[in-house]
């Protein structure tokens, strides 16, 4: 009898264990190393191990939320290998992320202060993030908005009940997200301090969950009470900080120690992922494999604890049932916070135009257009399903940029040119968006005052109108004798004034086409020889005219001064008419004043492309050609000044180099960038310049054209560059093969940039 009772008791206990047995999966934080979590999920599924609950922190929250939202292992792997994460981790200052139509002014500023008149200087001077959040913010909508709708913002109603762990800055404690918008919850959980902008939910400022709970075993146990806990750990408590490693410093400042253990009714999996850095998602496939193998190595232990199984068909049916409830991701209305009716109208037109609904892919591009606007500091998106329209509504929490910005910068140089830059920017935001600036340059080579305004008007296709006026002076006399003993003429000062208008439309994200027109006046003072005295007077040539043309521009370069990735193309056709008045000086052989009518039809095309871009080096090619049919100016020097100059690197822009000026020419070259640690890089570039018909100076200072393709000239530059957040530092070695003293060397701190010229 006792034996029968014992057997029945054993069977009863076993039966209850099998019926009540549930499994919770806990996923730690750890950046890109968390790709191993996907491999662990794959191994569990392949062995029919059930996953009844999921809890995750940071990257564990992303993987856990994707799984709980009905994504397969293959789909999750594709998300992290398809390039999206590279976009999400792009630095906030990267140039090619915005729309070329709305590209802001490239100024040589080192520092800036933003302010409004009512508060003078506000506290928002330093950004709270290094990595731009916008691609990630919208990407999380595409991944999680539909699942949020299906579960009715209750994470217990996801395909697998889920807990997301963030950190509350208000309370200095872990914050458990059990409901709400799933994408926002994930975004909060993985907002690593300094790198990502925090998220505000329920009145709390939330950041990376790893700050206070990087392995939420306790939350799993408290909320779900699973019989078995499987924990995947791809992180550890941090070693002493490394003074040269920003991630290490941030970890030690913000992160508290975590207990990476599971209770007795659990299995701890620890994939060996220490060789992968936190932000390197290029090894996703290998990391998935590492996680998979780690789980297989513990599978016997897992199966000894978990007798319950879930078949492949059961899991497939469960996933299909959840996914079939997802609503197509189409958008109808856009709502904004913190905006006036006129500003709301601007946003409506930029996002929706006159369309009744729009797909998520189309709206994604419209969203990028909006956040590229100079007047928009941030626009956090939230998608909410509208039962009456059967479409999603886009809700944007918009933060406007401050109206004014004062900046200072320029370039300090030894062996080159130095100047000081001061700028004042004003922004206006209403039915249209206005970005305007006033700036000053003061230096030994370049002096300028300029004003420019860019207006964006939101039609079905956004329209950009740019007005530009400036007074520019270049004093080539200040650089002529620095290295070149054969500079001719050594004394040359060029003044230029213009008023310019440009109208452009977007062709693609980083391409625009348009028309431009300008009125201008150029005044050139020069001697015709290097041998002159204080008693001599210089020649004066003035050219007053009008130019109009059409253009097409594409630019995906990742930096406007020292790029190492992307391509740039510009093609333009213009027509110029003008009148030159020439006043001879004492070194001229012409007896009297001369007046000449000029007309010019010009085609100018330039192309630059980094055909190879790797982690350690980049290789680029470039080409430029100009064709025009001008009339020659009053003499040789004036004709050179009216011609186009080939100036591929900074030093060539400050030299008067007659051999590299022509009305018609072709040029081509190559550039190699070697990327070094700590933001250092080496740039090596070389070019060939071929004038179709080179201008030659006759004995009376008139112009004669040489033979077709008679000569080829070469120029090259080698630079060591340190890129930083304030002003680049560079040492430049330059070579011009046609000079008696062909070499120049300069050390520069800052940006060598100029205001626009009408005939550029």
């Amino acid at each position: 009898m006792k034996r029968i009772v014992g057997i029945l008791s054993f069977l009863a206990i076993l039966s209850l264990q099998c019926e009540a047995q549930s499994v919770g999966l806990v996923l730690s934080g750890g950046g890109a190393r968390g790709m191993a979590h996907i491999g662990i999920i794959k191994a569990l599924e392949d062995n029919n191990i059930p996953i009844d609950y999921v809890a995750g922190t940071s990257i564990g929250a992303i993987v856990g939320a994707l799984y709980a939202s009905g994504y397969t292992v293959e789909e999750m792997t594709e998300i992290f290998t398809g390039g999206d994460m590279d976009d999400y981790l792009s630095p906030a200052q990267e140039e090619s992320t915005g729309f070329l139509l709305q590209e802001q002014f490239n100024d040589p500023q080192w520092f800036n202060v933003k302010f409004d008149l009512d508060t003078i200087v506000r506290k928002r001077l330093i950004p709270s993030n290094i990595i731009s959040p916008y691609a990630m913010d919208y990407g999380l909508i595409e991944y999680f908005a539909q699942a949020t709708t299906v579960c009715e913002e209750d994470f217990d109603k996801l395909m697998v009940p889920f807990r997301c762990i963030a950190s509350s800055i208000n309370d200095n404690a872990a914050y458990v997200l059990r409901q709400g918008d799933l994408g926002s919850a994930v975004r909060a959980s993985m907002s690593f301090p300094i790198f990502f902008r925090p998220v505000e939910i329920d009145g709390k400022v939330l950041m990376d969950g790893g700050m206070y709970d990087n392995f939420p075993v306790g939350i799993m146990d408290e909320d779900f009470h699973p019989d078995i806990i499987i924990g995947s750990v791809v992180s550890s408590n941090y070693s002493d900080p490394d003074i040269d490693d920003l991630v290490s410093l941030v970890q030690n400042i913000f992160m508290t120690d975590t207990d990476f253990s599971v209770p007795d009714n659990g299995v701890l999996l620890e994939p060996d992922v220490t060789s992968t850095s936190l932000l390197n998602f290029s090894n996703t496939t290998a990391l998935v494999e590492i996680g998979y193998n780690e789980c297989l190595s513990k599978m016997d232990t897992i199966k000894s604890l978990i007798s319950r199984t879930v078949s492949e068909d059961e899991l497939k049916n469960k996933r299909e049932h959840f996914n079939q409830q997802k609503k197509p991701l189409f958008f109808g209305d856009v709502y904004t916070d913190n905006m006036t009716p006129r500003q709301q109208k601007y946003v409506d037109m930029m996002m929706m135009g006159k369309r009744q609904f729009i797909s998520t892919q189309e709206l994604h591009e419209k969203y990028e257009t909006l956040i590229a606007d100079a007047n928009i500091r941030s626009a956090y998106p939230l998608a909410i399903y509208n039962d009456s329209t059967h479409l999603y509504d886009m809700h944007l929490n918009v933060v406007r940029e401050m109206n004014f910005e004062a900046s200072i910068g320029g370039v300090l140089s030894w062996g080159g040119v130095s100047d000081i830059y001061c700028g004042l920017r004003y922004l206006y935001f209403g039915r249209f968006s206005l970005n305007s600036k006033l700036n000053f340059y003061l230096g030994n080579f370049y002096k300028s005052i300029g004003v420019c305004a860019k207006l964006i008007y939101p039609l079905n296709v956004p329209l950009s109108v740019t007005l530009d006026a400036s007074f520019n002076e270049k004093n080539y006399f200040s650089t002529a004798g620095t290295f070149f003993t054969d500079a001719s003429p050594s004394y040359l000062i060029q003044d230029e004034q213009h008023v310019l208008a440009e109208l452009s439309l977007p062709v693609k994200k980083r391409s625009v086409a348009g028309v431009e027109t300008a009125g201008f006046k150029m005044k050139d003072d020069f001697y015709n020889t290097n041998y002159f005295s204080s008693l001599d007077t210089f020649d004066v040539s003035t050219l007053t005219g009008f130019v109009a043309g059409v253009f097409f521009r594409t630019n995906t370069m990742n930096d406007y001064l020292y790029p190492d990735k992307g391509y740039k193309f510009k093609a333009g056709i213009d027509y110029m008419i003008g009148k030159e008045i020439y006043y001879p000086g004492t070194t001229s052989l012409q007896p009297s004043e001369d007046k000449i009518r000029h007309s010019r039809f010009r085609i100018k095309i330039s192309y630059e492309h980094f055909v190879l871009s790797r982690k350690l080096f980049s290789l680029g090619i470039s080409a430029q050609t100009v064709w025009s049919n001008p009339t020659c100016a009053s003499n040789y020097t004036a004709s050179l000044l009216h011609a186009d100059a080939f100036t591929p690197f900074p030093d060539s822009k400050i030299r008067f180099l007659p051999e590299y000026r022509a009305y018609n020419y072709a040029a081509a070259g190559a550039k190699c960038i070697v990327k070094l640690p700590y933001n250092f890089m080496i740039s090596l570039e070389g070019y060939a310049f071929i004038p179709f018909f080179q201008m030659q100076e006759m004995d009376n200072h008139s112009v004669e054209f040489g033979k077709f393709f008679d000569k080829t000239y070469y120029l090259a530059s080698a630079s060591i560059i340190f890129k930083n957040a304030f002003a680049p530092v560079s040492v430049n070695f330059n070579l011009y093969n046609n000079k008696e003293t062909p070499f120049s060397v300069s050390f520069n701190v800052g940006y060598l940039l100029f205001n626009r010229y009408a005939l550029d």
Side-chain angles (χ1 to χ4, degrees):
M1 185 66 178
K2 291 183 178 179
R3 179 178 297 179
I4 294 174
V5 172
I7 293 172
L8 291 175
S9 299
F10 173 77
L11 291 175
I13 293 170
L14 181 62
S15 175
L16 290 171
Q17 182 180 6
C18 291
E19 290 177 3
Q21 198 176 48
S22 59
V23 180
L25 177 64
V26 179
L27 307 175
S28 79
R33 299 167 182 173
M35 297 300 93
H37 294 325
I38 300 175
I40 284 167
I41 293 173
K42 176 176 171 56
L44 294 174
E45 287 190 346
D46 287 351
N47 287 271
N48 306 121
I49 304 299
I51 301 174
D52 299 300
Y53 312 105
V54 177
T57 295
S58 195
I59 190 65
I62 301 175
V63 174
L66 287 169
Y67 185 73
S69 298
Y71 287 86
T72 65
V73 167
E74 291 73 23
E75 288 169 336
M76 288 190 287
T77 304
E78 175 60 27
I79 287 171
F80 291 101
T81 57
D84 284 348
M85 291 307 298
D86 291 334
D87 293 337
Y88 296 167
L89 299 175
S90 296
Q93 68 271 19
E94 186 163 320
E95 294 300 308
S96 65
T97 56
F99 270 66
L100 187 62
L101 181 79
Q102 299 164 295
E103 193 166 57
Q104 300 186 27
F105 308 118
N106 290 334
D107 294 328
Q109 65 176 8
W110 294 11
F111 308 99
N112 67 70
V113 175
K114 298 178 180 180
F115 60 94
D116 287 329
L117 290 181
D118 56 345
T119 54
I120 304 302
V121 179
R122 286 188 183 177
K123 60 184 178 181
R124 236 175 26 232
L125 302 180
I126 301 175
S128 60
N129 56 286
I130 294 174
I131 294 174
S132 174
Y134 306 120
M136 179 185 302
D137 291 343
Y138 197 92
L140 293 175
I141 283 180
E142 294 180 324
Y143 296 143
F144 297 119
Q146 293 166 294
T148 299
T149 301
V150 174
C151 75
E152 300 175 326
E153 299 191 1
D154 182 353
F155 297 170
D156 284 343
K157 297 180 181 179
L158 288 164
M159 187 192 85
V160 176
F162 171 66
R163 291 295 180 266
C164 183
I165 314 304
S167 295
S168 170
I169 305 305
N170 307 68
D171 306 318
N172 293 324
Y175 191 84
V176 184
L177 292 150
R178 301 177 174 90
Q179 59 187 10
D181 180 73
L182 183 57
S184 297
V186 170
R187 173 70 168 78
S189 180
M190 49 83 62
S191 296
F192 193 74
I194 296 179
F195 286 83
F196 297 101
R197 191 170 184 266
V199 176
E200 187 172 352
I201 299 176
D202 300 330
K204 304 286 187 180
V205 177
L206 303 181
M207 298 191 74
D208 195 303
M211 295 173 62
Y212 297 109
D213 191 353
N214 205 22
F215 190 49
V217 170
I219 299 301
M220 170 63 73
D221 193 42
E222 291 173 16
D223 278 26
F224 298 124
H225 312 292
D227 297 295
I228 306 298
I229 291 178
I230 299 174
S232 175
V233 175
V234 292
S235 186
S236 62
N237 292 316
Y238 304 110
S239 57
D240 292 337
D242 181 347
I243 194 172
D244 294 318
D245 186 343
L246 178 60
V247 175
S248 170
L249 295 172
V250 172
Q251 286 172 336
N252 279 271
I253 292 172
F254 293 101
M255 305 298 177
T256 58
D257 286 349
T258 296
D259 179 11
F260 292 105
S261 65
V262 295
D264 294 337
N265 64 329
V267 178
L268 184 65
L269 305 175
E270 298 178 282
D272 183 8
V273 292
T274 55
S275 61
T276 299
S277 64
L278 290 176
L279 300 180
N280 181 15
F281 284 86
S282 62
N283 296 323
T284 293
T285 303
L287 290 168
V288 170
E289 186 70 19
I290 290 172
Y292 186 84
N293 292 332
E294 168 65 10
C295 190
L296 288 184
S297 70
K298 304 285 180 66
M299 191 55 64
D300 289 342
T301 302
I302 294 171
K303 288 183 176 181
S304 70
L305 293 172
I306 305 171
S307 57
R308 173 175 154 245
T309 61
V310 176
S311 70
E312 182 180 343
D313 287 340
E314 286 179 287
L315 181 60
K316 181 180 178 182
N317 291 336
K318 181 180 179 182
R319 181 174 284 121
E320 287 181 352
H321 175 72
F322 184 84
N323 287 334
Q324 285 170 0
Q325 300 177 68
K326 293 180 178 178
K327 310 296 183 181
L329 203 55
F330 284 86
F331 290 84
D333 294 314
V334 176
Y335 298 94
T336 60
D337 299 329
N338 312 318
M339 305 196 78
T340 67
R342 286 177 173 269
Q343 294 166 352
Q344 172 69 51
K345 184 66 175 176
Y346 178 87
V347 173
D348 286 342
M349 288 298 296
M350 291 296 284
M351 296 287 283
M352 296 295 297
K354 297 182 179 181
R355 305 197 39 189
Q356 297 299 313
F357 65 91
I358 190 171
S359 71
T360 182
Q361 292 81 10
E362 293 172 301
L363 191 65
H364 193 170
E365 185 170 295
K366 299 292 187 181
Y367 172 72
E368 289 182 326
T369 305
L370 180 68
I371 61 173
D373 193 287
N375 277 283
I376 304 295
R377 181 175 180 84
S378 65
Y380 187 77
L382 192 66
I384 300 177
Y385 187 72
N386 189 323
D387 289 316
S388 62
T389 63
H390 304 293
L391 297 168
Y392 285 86
D393 293 333
M394 175 64 76
H395 293 255
L396 297 173
N397 183 12
V398 177
V399 178
R400 279 198 55 203
E401 189 55 271
M402 285 177 270
N403 291 110
F404 291 92
E405 176 186 278
S407 57
I408 188 169
V411 60
L412 301 177
S413 179
W414 291 262
V417 299
S418 298
D419 62 50
I420 296 173
Y421 167 86
C422 296
L424 178 65
R425 185 171 72 158
Y426 170 71
L427 299 174
Y428 170 81
F429 188 28
R431 186 63 182 83
F432 58 86
S433 175
L434 176 68
N435 182 6
S436 60
K437 69 169 182 177
L438 171 68
N439 63 32
F440 303 88
Y441 290 82
L442 182 62
N444 57 334
F445 169 74
Y446 183 65
K447 299 178 180 67
S448 179
I449 177 172
V451 60
C452 185
K454 176 179 284 190
L455 182 149
I456 305 292
Y457 195 83
L459 303 172
N460 280 335
V461 177
L463 173 69
S464 171
V465 178
T466 301
L467 301 175
D468 182 281
S470 64
F471 299 83
N472 303 293
E473 178 189 287
K474 289 182 179 179
N475 184 356
Y476 290 100
F477 185 54
S478 67
T479 61
T482 307
F483 293 97
F484 302 128
T485 58
D486 59 338
S488 178
S490 60
Y491 183 88
L492 197 162
I493 298 177
Q494 184 177 56
D495 292 328
E496 191 263 8
Q497 309 162 27
H498 72 262
V499 177
L500 180 149
E502 176 187 297
L503 186 151
S504 56
L505 297 169
V507 178
K508 293 183 178 180
K509 180 178 179 180
R510 297 295 300 173
S511 300
V512 296
V515 297
E516 58 185 352
T517 181
F520 65 89
K521 181 178 180 180
M522 294 174 55
K523 177 176 174 289
D524 305 315
D525 301 339
F526 55 88
Y527 291 105
N528 293 280
T529 175
N530 290 339
Y531 307 102
F532 54 87
S533 69
S534 59
L535 300 177
D536 285 315
T537 59
F538 46 74
D539 293 12
V540 178
S541 172
T542 63
L543 176 64
T544 304
F546 173 83
V547 61
V550 296
F551 64 85
F552 173 82
R553 293 196 294 263
T554 295
N555 187 356
T556 68
M557 293 294 190
N558 63 341
D559 189 271
Y560 62 87
L561 192 61
Y562 297 117
D564 56 46
K565 183 180 181 181
Y567 63 90
K568 181 166 58 175
F569 175 81
K570 181 179 180 180
I573 301 174
D574 59 47
Y575 182 73
M576 182 272 291
I577 56 174
K579 179 181 178 181
E580 180 192 6
I581 302 178
Y582 171 69
Y583 304 94
T586 55
T587 62
S588 174
L589 298 180
Q590 291 184 229
S592 61
E593 171 185 318
D594 194 10
K595 298 180 180 180
I596 303 174
R597 295 282 181 179
H598 291 278
S599 64
R600 183 201 67 188
F601 177 81
R602 179 179 68 170
I603 300 174
K604 186 173 184 178
I605 301 173
S606 60
Y607 174 74
E608 185 176 354
H609 186 193
F610 281 98
V611 294
L612 190 64
S613 182
R614 297 290 185 265
K615 184 177 181 180
L616 298 179
F617 73 95
S618 295
L619 180 64
I621 58 174
S622 64
Q624 187 176 104
T625 185
V626 172
W627 181 88
S628 63
N629 61 337
T631 54
C632 289
S634 53
N635 67 6
Y636 172 71
T637 302
S639 297
L640 287 173
L641 290 167
H642 294 178
D644 284 275
F646 180 61
T647 57
F649 47 80
D651 186 80
S652 63
K653 299 180 188 301
I654 66 172
R655 313 289 179 187
F656 183 69
L657 304 169
E659 294 83 357
Y660 302 96
R661 288 175 172 264
Y663 291 115
N664 301 275
Y665 68 80
K671 178 185 293 186
C672 180
I673 304 293
V674 180
K675 304 167 191 178
L676 304 174
Y678 306 110
N679 291 325
F680 279 91
M681 57 188 288
I682 297 174
S683 174
L684 305 172
E685 51 190 313
Y687 305 91
F689 176 84
I690 308 175
F692 294 171
F693 300 96
Q694 185 181 14
M695 286 183 283
Q696 299 175 347
E697 184 176 18
M698 307 307 291
D699 291 340
N700 62 352
H701 305 311
S702 63
V703 177
E704 183 176 285
F705 289 99
K707 297 179 181 179
F708 182 66
F709 279 11
D710 186 39
K711 291 185 178 181
T712 300
Y713 299 95
Y714 302 95
L715 63 167
S717 179
S719 303
I720 302 172
I721 302 157
F722 171 58
K723 298 173 69 173
N724 57 79
F726 298 102
V729 180
S730 64
V731 180
N732 306 287
F733 305 88
N734 312 290
L735 170 66
Y736 306 91
N737 77 307
N738 57 298
K739 294 295 181 181
E740 292 180 7
T741 308
F743 295 102
S744 71
V745 181
S746 63
F747 175 79
N748 304 294
V749 179
Y751 305 87
L752 185 64
L753 296 172
F754 307 126
N755 278 328
R756 193 168 179 176
Y757 276 60
L759 296 180
D760 281 351

